[in-house]
Amino acid sequence: MTREIPTIYDSTAVEAQAAALWEAGHYFHADEMANSPSYAIVIPPPNVTAALHLGHALNNTLQDILIRWKRMQGYATLWMPGTDHAGIATQTVVDKRLRAEGKPALVDYKQMQERGENGREQFIEKVQSWKDEYEACILGQLKSMGCSCDWQRTRFTMDEVCAKAVRTNFFNLFKDGLIYRGKRLVNWDPATQTVLADDEVEHQNVQGFFWYLQYPLQTPVIIDGKSVEHVTVATTRPETMLGDTAVAMNPADPRATALVGKMVRLPIVGRLIPIIADEHVVLPNPDSDDEKAKFSTGFLKVTPAHDPDDWQIGQRHDLDVINVMAPDGSISDKHGWDDADSPEAQNLLGMDRFEAREAIVDWFRTEDLLEEVRDYAHEVGHSYRSHVPIEPYLSDQWYIAVKKEIDDCRLTIDDGRCETEKREGVTYIKETDVPVNSLAGLALKPLLENKLRFIPERYTKNYQLWLENLRDWPISRQLWWGHQIPVWNFTLPDDRKYKEVVGDLTSLLKKCGCIGKVWSYRKENDSHIVYICLSDAQDDRLLNDISEYSKQIAYPSDGPDITPNTIQAHAGDVLIFLEKYVDDIIVRDEDVLDTWFSSALWPFSTMGWPDENATLEKFYPTQVLCTAREIITLWVSRMVMMGQYCIGDIPFSDVYIHAMIQDGQGRKMSKSLGNGIDPLVAIDSHGADAMRFTLASMTTDTQDVRMPVAAIELPDGRTVNSSPKFDNGRNFCNKLWNASRFAMLNLEGTDIAAFDAAKLDVTDKWILSRLMKTVAATTDGLKDFKYKEPLDEIYKFFWNDFCDWYLEWTKPRMLNDAQKPIAQNVLAFVLDQTLRLLHPFVPFITEGIFQNLNSISPQRGLKGIMELTAADSIMVSAWPECVEGCIDEETERQIGIVQTVIRSIREVRSQYNIAPSKKVAASASASDAMCQLLKANAALIAQLAGVEPFDIAADLDKPENAAAVVAGEVQVYVHDVIDPDEERKRLQKQKEFVEKGIAPLAAKLGNENFTSRAKPEVVEQSRQKLTELQDQLAAIEKHLEELE
RNA sequence: GGGCGCUUAACUCAGUUGGCUAGAGUGCCUGCCUUACAAGCAGGAUGUCGGGGGUUCAAGUCCCUCAGCGCCCACCA
């Protein structure tokens, strides 16, 4: 049967067989009832926007390596799989696709929604089917890569289980007063009238102007003896001046004393606005390299409603906020501007923002208030969709207060390892403004207490700085795809007090059958809007029905008068409530939650939190999070924050940050550049194991992974985009396949009982010693989250020790009845252990070979050295252990000498073009001890150097016509080689090489400072080395002389 | 603007706390279809470790500085 194993490794067949075996054995399934300690990883859920690329392949390969390794070590492992709904990204790709296909797109569904035709629902269905398609694709890709996730537990950030966690957490935060309603400037696209995320804004360098506008002072001021009648502000967006509510200047400005506190009359509008002092303002300096200082007049117009910085200034100085634009970007007095009374202002109403800009500049020019116009090149954000400049636009958003103290004693447990300080009754983390018991504090504290560790360590700083400077987290998104915010609101009639309504509402809901908790919130300074949150999504229907009912009451003409079922029985009570407390209607917030709100819960929402259950009990907290550096802040910190808040424990203790994949030119792989590689294509072209091997072997702590992309022709004639880098992995797999094939040709009839440790020969001892060192190095490497290093170690062991030497030396032994049983057992054992070491990296091929090995040599293990228990699958076999007793430095030294002698003979053979099949006569001369060693191993040398006969004796002279090589302490003579010129050439070269080694050593040892100051062992080492080299040099010189 | 990383052979990268003549894979040159493997075997060539300075008996490794490449975050009156 083994004789039919093909010589070229067929990855397709082996991968399919291994996958089937794993599935049948349910080996990926995590057992929450297992007694062994747990080891869990939650997958960073890929976005359902698109298929996975190589970056994901790397990310998941590394996780699978850890999981498979720990599983073999006997841990109860869980690798939790799933996908992320990726709110805005997914909504956007679906919209793009619909538009590209000429189908009704988001704009159209929005219109339908406005007409009351369920546009929202229909659009979400479109996104849902996109999600279904890509989720299936992604999971398929992961499976093809061999990821040993517990597929039964596959989650999606918007599935029912996750939704419950989201709902519960939202409610808790809401109840704890950590969620509030506030104003925020968003990136508004006036053309499509949608909000854009920051990363959807395309920055373009625009050649524009700085306009210098004069604003007259209410009363002139004397500065340096001169009467000053106006201040000059510089702006790139003159149209926003209509919303100015202050002029700011730096308090350090010499003119500030005279001007701050004075009033300015805003041209066109006539509004009186104050001059305020704010350090944000850049002082003018025409000679500065700083663009801002160069262009600054020292006066900054402040438009809180239309500029993020100005908004901040406005907050600091409690300025009015005047929005002068309609959502379409036209000038409007209907959205917060109530002093547009002047004819000039009236004239601007309705103009597009750019028309208005020109009109305003013209007005200033005409009035002689335009002091100057200067060219200015600057970055302007544009919509990636409509390509029009985005407008910072003021809107209401929900926020999470991240630095507000939480009243919950469960969270105050403090082991004192995190330094704190108390200020004004609040305990802060030392040297920060982060209260210990705030969400930010909860995320920061574990780091300072060394409970949370980043690997590599340098990323710690990222995380820490981000949390220390954290601002409140805006969580509402004006999207349809996502978790809709579970908040309803209504306006109270003016004569009703907030307190009154709360009790009545709660009892009304309970009466109607509400099963969960009800909590309400009232925005500061806006006491007549009541926001309601329900703890249980099952109650949504009730509130939706009340909402529907309120619409019918408020707008009876709009539809038939039907009381919804859920409140039928209590329609009268509802009606009373509505009439008493609800000014207009009850509505649900239309926005959805930021995608990261649900991803923040991923480590435990996937395990069924908030319901207490065995999975959560067994596997939370997890051990490792494995991700790329770009989402340390967005994701990692929020998971820690929420893990602490929801469960009172960090979600993982180690955060491993791995490299990014780049193309051959160091660019990020991206779809728009077309430089990406689909993992499935790589699997097609090279095999899953080859891909994994290459990715893992390129993974180091510091370097991003460069993957040249090339068109590669497959055996079947197709040409695909893959990378020649995967050749490495494929070659390795092929070598592994063939070495195993060879081994198994010789393993039939292996009898474990025939093994006798006393009969091990020197090559056996050597390979076992090498193996054990490799086992130790691999385990140590993985412990430290190293991937390349263990793989390099295994590679060297397998290829350079096992294949190049041990297997070759095995060949004659397999024909020798006395030695065969020993050789067979060692061979089977070493192969078995090598496969196990490799399994986490290349799971399919190792499983394939392991199965073959199981059928040929089912029992393996070395009696008295290491017993092995049989396993049905390599993935549940025991991880190799290093048997210290097998490490044998003396044997390694001896084999090292043997190899050196062999290499020197091969060198001569190669130099004289002696055919490999041709035997040469040779002899060796050395010290008595060395001769003894060589004689003991003469057969090993003779075999692999093609030597016959081989004489060894002390003080042998060089025979006539022989080539002489100095192999360390041994003089090797290859007989009947008759080319003195060639000889001289080679010996001369060797002489130079040795001399090159002697020179620095001699210099060092001649240096008094070195011998006295360097560590004694270093000096001693150098002395020995020098002596050795000098002996060699003498030998070489002697040979050279003999040639003359 | 703030933070971080990188620069070592033609290419992609290793190089532990400073210490044997700086390594691997690929590519290149020579010879081999040696019955596990030509996706292989044997042999070979290739480096002012980005530039400059410093510390040290000793620097690819530590410090300073200059230059180039890249990433993250913030911002763009």
Side-chain angles (χ1 to χ4, degrees):
Chain A
M1 187 176 111
T2 47
R3 278 160 219 287
E4 288 155 25
I5 301 174
T7 63
I8 295 276
Y9 170 58
D10 177 5
S11 58
T12 314
V14 173
E15 284 169 24
Q17 282 167 22
L21 179 90
W22 296 335
E23 200 180 338
H26 300 105
Y27 298 121
F28 298 175
H29 184 59
D31 180 5
E32 63 269 22
M33 305 314 262
N35 286 323
S36 39
S38 67
Y39 184 90
I41 297 179
V42 291
I43 200 170
N47 292 351
V48 290
T49 44
L52 303 184
H53 52 69
L54 268 193
H56 295 105
L58 173 66
N59 175 254
N60 290 293
T61 295
L62 301 184
Q63 290 174 77
D64 195 44
I65 289 169
L66 293 175
I67 280 285
R68 285 183 183 268
W69 168 53
K70 285 291 172 179
R71 192 184 286 117
M72 289 174 76
Q73 282 194 328
Y75 288 83
T77 50
L78 165 61
W79 187 10
M80 179 71 78
T83 52
D84 193 312
H85 69 280
I88 192 154
T90 312
Q91 175 159 325
T92 303
V93 291
V94 173
D95 182 35
K96 262 188 188 167
R97 158 80 75 90
L98 290 171
R99 282 187 292 153
E101 290 176 347
K103 292 181 183 158
L106 188 56
V107 210
D108 307 292
Y109 288 104
K110 279 188 174 168
Q111 283 169 7
M112 289 167 67
Q113 180 70 9
E114 274 166 32
R115 293 195 301 264
E117 293 167 16
N118 274 342
R120 183 168 184 154
E121 226 168 275
Q122 291 182 53
F123 180 76
I124 286 175
E125 267 172 39
K126 296 281 174 197
V127 187
Q128 186 72 36
S129 63
W130 175 284
K131 173 250 161 183
D132 290 341
E133 183 185 338
Y134 280 92
E135 180 185 51
C137 170
I138 288 164
L139 298 179
Q141 285 176 305
L142 291 173
K143 286 175 188 170
S144 302
M145 285 163 45
C147 294
S148 58
C149 301
D150 187 351
W151 301 112
Q152 291 176 35
R153 297 181 194 265
T154 306
R155 298 254 69 88
F156 170 58
T157 50
M158 269 171 67
D159 68 21
E160 272 182 37
V161 173
C162 292
K164 183 169 182 187
V166 164
R167 178 58 166 256
T168 305
N169 187 42
F170 186 95
F171 181 83
N172 290 343
L173 289 163
F174 192 84
K175 181 171 65 64
D176 285 349
L178 298 173
I179 287 186
Y180 68 92
R181 191 96 172 125
K183 293 261 187 226
R184 184 195 179 210
L185 285 165
V186 294
N187 302 310
W188 184 256
D189 174 354
T192 60
Q193 302 201 19
T194 47
V195 174
L196 301 179
D198 289 343
D199 59 7
E200 290 180 313
V201 175
E202 291 171 349
H203 289 275
Q204 294 174 21
N205 204 288
V206 170
Q207 190 57 51
F209 301 98
F210 244 127
W211 284 280
Y212 289 76
L213 311 178
Q214 295 181 350
Y215 288 4
L217 285 157
Q218 187 185 23
T219 48
V221 170
I222 308 291
I223 299 178
D224 293 341
K226 285 178 204 159
S227 170
V228 175
E229 297 185 357
H230 62 260
V231 298
T232 305
V233 297
T235 179
T236 56
R237 292 191 298 153
E239 68 279 11
T240 61
M241 59 82 58
L242 301 172
D244 284 3
T245 53
V247 169
M249 60 192 305
N250 195 301
D253 193 311
R255 299 165 294 182
T257 351
L259 287 169
V260 169
K262 300 287 183 298
M263 301 299 276
V264 163
R265 188 165 298 279
L266 188 65
I268 299 180
V269 185
R271 184 184 305 144
L272 269 178
I273 57 175
I275 298 178
I276 58 170
D278 196 289
E279 282 173 358
H280 176 77
V281 181
V282 176
L283 288 167
N285 177 4
D287 306 322
S288 169
D289 288 340
D290 179 12
E291 286 274 288
K292 280 182 186 170
K294 211 156 51 179
F295 285 90
S296 173
T297 64
F299 299 98
L300 175 67
K301 61 190 277 303
V302 184
T303 325
H306 293 280
D307 183 277
D309 281 335
D310 293 8
W311 169 256
Q312 293 295 330
I313 297 174
Q315 291 292 100
R316 287 198 286 272
H317 298 272
D318 201 20
L319 299 176
D320 286 342
V321 178
I322 299 175
N323 175 24
V324 298
M325 275 182 214
D328 65 356
S330 66
I331 305 300
S332 161
D333 61 353
K334 300 278 188 298
H335 297 83
W337 183 17
D338 55 13
D339 59 355
D341 308 321
S342 70
E344 293 95 333
Q346 286 291 318
N347 189 35
L348 293 165
L349 295 179
M351 279 189 193
D352 175 76
R353 52 191 170 144
F354 301 111
E355 274 179 78
R357 176 176 298 178
E358 281 183 34
I360 288 169
V361 171
D362 281 346
W363 185 91
F364 273 86
R365 191 175 283 127
T366 312
E367 297 292 318
D368 209 18
L369 295 173
L370 182 66
E371 192 170 292
E372 199 185 352
V373 181
R374 294 168 72 179
D375 290 330
Y376 184 59
H378 62 135
E379 296 268 305
V380 176
H382 286 66
S383 163
Y384 83 100
R385 292 166 116 188
S386 64
H387 306 292
V388 305
I390 62 122
E391 195 63 39
Y393 196 77
L394 197 64
S395 66
D396 272 314
Q397 305 289 334
W398 287 103
Y399 282 87
I400 293 185
V402 293
K403 289 187 178 172
K404 186 176 172 186
E405 281 207 291
I406 306 164
D407 302 322
D408 190 336
C409 57
R410 155 182 75 99
L411 302 171
T412 63
I413 301 161
D414 197 339
D415 65 1
R417 273 194 284 173
C418 168
E419 289 190 75
T420 59
E421 57 194 15
K422 209 157 181 165
R423 298 193 298 266
E424 290 160 24
V426 178
T427 308
Y428 292 92
I429 289 173
K430 198 168 185 186
E431 286 165 9
T432 70
D433 66 344
V434 180
V436 174
N437 290 328
S438 64
L439 289 170
L442 289 177
L444 190 50
K445 210 168 67 149
L447 189 77
L448 302 172
E449 290 171 343
N450 295 318
K451 290 174 184 160
L452 184 68
R453 178 171 76 123
F454 282 84
I455 301 116
E457 206 186 342
R458 62 176 181 277
Y459 294 109
T460 309
K461 207 170 170 182
N462 264 10
Y463 178 91
Q464 188 172 345
L465 286 178
W466 189 79
L467 281 168
E468 285 177 2
N469 300 314
L470 193 57
R471 287 186 292 181
D472 284 354
W473 175 14
I475 49 166
S476 46
R477 293 294 123 97
Q478 292 68 47
L479 300 171
W480 281 349
W481 177 244
H483 294 276
Q484 193 175 354
I485 292 177
V487 171
W488 285 255
N489 70 74
F490 59 91
T491 308
L492 285 172
D494 284 342
D495 59 336
R496 291 296 171 186
K497 293 282 180 290
Y498 170 73
K499 265 188 185 166
E500 243 180 281
V501 72
V502 178
D504 283 7
L505 175 68
T506 308
S507 44
L508 173 73
L509 288 170
K510 294 287 175 197
K511 193 183 269 181
C512 294
C514 174
I515 56 174
K517 284 177 273 187
V518 182
W519 202 266
S520 65
Y521 156 82
R522 175 183 48 156
K523 196 165 76 172
E524 278 175 49
N525 307 325
D526 202 359
S527 58
H528 54 281
I529 297 183
V530 179
Y531 296 94
I532 322 258
C533 183
L534 305 178
S535 69
D536 200 309
Q538 285 183 52
D539 296 326
D540 286 0
R541 196 153 155 238
L542 179 59
L543 212 38
N544 281 338
D545 284 348
I546 295 176
S547 162
E548 189 54 36
Y549 195 49
S550 75
K551 278 179 209 162
Q552 290 182 21
I553 306 297
Y555 304 99
S557 57
D558 275 11
D561 188 12
I562 302 163
T563 311
N565 287 333
T566 53
I567 53 170
Q568 191 84 56
H570 307 279
D573 296 321
V574 174
L575 190 58
I576 291 168
F577 179 87
L578 290 174
E579 283 176 345
K580 191 171 171 191
Y581 294 114
V582 179
D583 193 33
D584 188 26
I585 56 174
I586 298 182
V587 284
R588 179 168 186 176
D589 199 308
E590 292 193 351
D591 290 354
V592 301
L593 288 165
D594 179 12
T595 261
W596 298 107
F597 188 96
S598 50
S599 345
L601 313 181
W602 187 247
F604 46 94
S605 64
T606 49
M607 296 189 194
W609 182 88
D611 296 333
E612 284 181 22
N613 67 79
T615 303
L616 203 57
E617 181 69 27
K618 178 78 187 172
F619 294 110
Y620 190 92
T622 70
Q623 274 58 47
V624 185
L625 182 82
C626 177
T627 188
R629 58 179 170 266
E630 69 225 10
I631 51 177
I632 292 174
T633 49
L634 291 176
W635 191 42
V636 178
S637 54
R638 283 170 182 156
M639 282 192 284
V640 178
M641 193 183 277
M642 289 308 170
Q644 290 267 78
Y645 174 71
C646 295
I647 300 188
D649 202 351
I650 49 173
F652 32 73
S653 37
D654 288 339
V655 181
Y656 175 72
I657 306 289
H658 62 71
M660 316 266 297
I661 302 267
Q662 300 171 336
D663 71 359
Q665 283 102 60
R667 297 172 305 181
K668 207 166 164 175
M669 284 193 168
S670 77
K671 249 178 289 175
S672 51
L673 280 171
N675 58 354
I677 298 174
D678 181 342
L680 290 182
V681 169
I683 291 171
D684 218 13
S685 65
H686 290 81
D689 290 322
M691 179 181 75
R692 293 170 59 119
F693 182 95
T694 299
L695 289 174
S697 70
M698 292 177 84
T699 293
T700 65
D701 277 358
T702 52
Q703 201 63 35
D704 282 337
V705 176
R706 283 201 191 188
M707 277 286 168
V709 184
I712 288 176
E713 198 180 334
L714 301 185
D716 63 10
R718 283 179 300 144
T719 302
V720 295
N721 248 12
S722 190
S723 178
K725 276 278 160 192
F726 295 129
D727 290 356
N728 268 343
R730 182 200 54 192
N731 294 355
F732 180 81
C733 289
N734 198 51
K735 183 79 175 176
L736 178 60
W737 185 254
N738 280 296
S740 308
R741 191 170 135 253
F742 166 77
M744 288 186 284
L745 288 174
N746 289 288
L747 287 179
E748 249 165 303
T750 304
D751 179 7
I752 195 169
F755 177 76
D756 181 354
K759 290 184 182 166
L760 289 173
D761 82 356
V762 65
T763 64
D764 293 326
K765 288 181 190 163
W766 173 73
I767 201 68
L768 288 172
S769 179
R770 294 289 310 125
L771 170 70
M772 293 311 167
K773 284 186 177 176
T774 307
V775 167
T778 305
T779 309
D780 288 348
L782 287 174
K783 268 184 203 156
D784 291 340
F785 295 96
K786 305 282 185 202
Y787 296 91
K788 181 195 168 62
E789 291 170 16
L791 213 41
D792 277 355
E793 288 298 320
I794 307 174
Y795 183 98
K796 274 188 281 182
F797 167 74
F798 165 71
W799 203 306
N800 303 131
D801 296 335
F802 183 70
C803 292
D804 290 351
W805 298 98
Y806 184 73
L807 284 187
E808 294 302 328
W809 279 324
T810 299
K811 287 176 180 175
R813 298 173 71 207
M814 290 300 178
L815 304 171
N816 178 316
D817 288 345
Q819 289 181 28
K820 189 176 178 184
I822 306 299
Q824 278 185 322
N825 274 294
V826 175
L827 180 58
F829 176 79
V830 175
L831 178 61
D832 173 286
Q833 296 291 293
T834 306
L835 291 171
R836 295 189 197 203
L837 285 180
L838 279 166
H839 177 72
F841 303 92
V842 284
F844 294 106
I845 187 171
T846 46
E847 183 70 86
I849 298 168
F850 193 82
Q851 294 302 323
N852 284 333
L853 191 56
N854 271 353
S855 64
I856 285 156
S857 172
Q859 282 189 299
R860 298 180 293 278
L862 302 180
K863 196 171 46 183
I865 294 175
M866 193 180 184
E867 315 279 335
L868 295 178
T869 41
D872 292 334
S873 162
I874 192 170
M875 63 175 289
V876 290
S877 68
W879 182 251
E881 271 174 48
C882 171
V883 180
E884 295 284 344
C886 288
I887 294 177
D888 184 343
E889 299 296 349
E890 174 53 22
T891 297
E892 289 200 39
R893 188 186 71 87
Q894 290 185 19
I895 292 291
I897 291 164
V898 168
Q899 288 173 327
T900 305
V901 172
I902 292 172
R903 285 200 185 99
S904 64
I905 298 170
R906 282 173 173 174
E907 195 187 326
V908 173
R909 297 182 63 115
S910 184
Q911 188 189 3
Y912 290 101
N913 263 331
I914 301 168
S917 51
K918 196 187 163 200
K919 300 282 183 198
V920 291
S923 52
S925 169
S927 65
D928 287 338
M930 187 60 85
C931 282
Q932 216 174 336
L933 190 157
L934 291 176
K935 276 178 186 164
N937 297 299
L940 299 180
I941 297 170
Q943 183 201 341
L944 292 192
V947 170
E948 180 70 51
F950 186 37
D951 297 325
I952 300 158
D955 308 320
L956 262 185
D957 285 329
K958 189 184 89 154
E960 281 290 299
N961 298 333
V965 200
V966 179
E969 298 169 49
V970 184
Q971 310 304 312
V972 180
Y973 308 118
V974 181
H975 300 189
D976 305 318
V977 177
I978 43 154
D979 190 335
D981 285 342
E982 279 290 309
E983 272 305 286
R984 211 170 284 120
K985 230 164 72 186
R986 198 194 67 248
L987 284 166
Q988 198 60 45
K989 206 179 99 190
Q990 203 181 357
K991 187 183 165 194
E992 278 164 29
F993 179 79
V994 174
E995 280 170 342
K996 222 171 103 191
I998 289 174
L1001 279 172
K1004 248 203 288 197
L1005 287 163
N1007 183 344
E1008 174 70 23
N1009 281 325
F1010 173 70
T1011 46
S1012 61
R1013 298 199 196 183
K1015 281 178 278 183
E1017 59 267 33
V1018 172
V1019 178
E1020 186 48 37
Q1021 246 176 18
S1022 303
R1023 281 219 175 88
Q1024 271 178 25
K1025 187 71 199 174
L1026 183 61
T1027 314
E1028 232 171 80
L1029 288 176
Q1030 279 166 341
D1031 289 351
Q1032 283 184 31
L1033 185 62
I1036 293 164
E1037 278 169 343
K1038 187 168 162 250
H1039 293 320
L1040 274 169
E1041 273 167 34
E1042 282 169 5
L1043 275 175
E1044 301 309 323

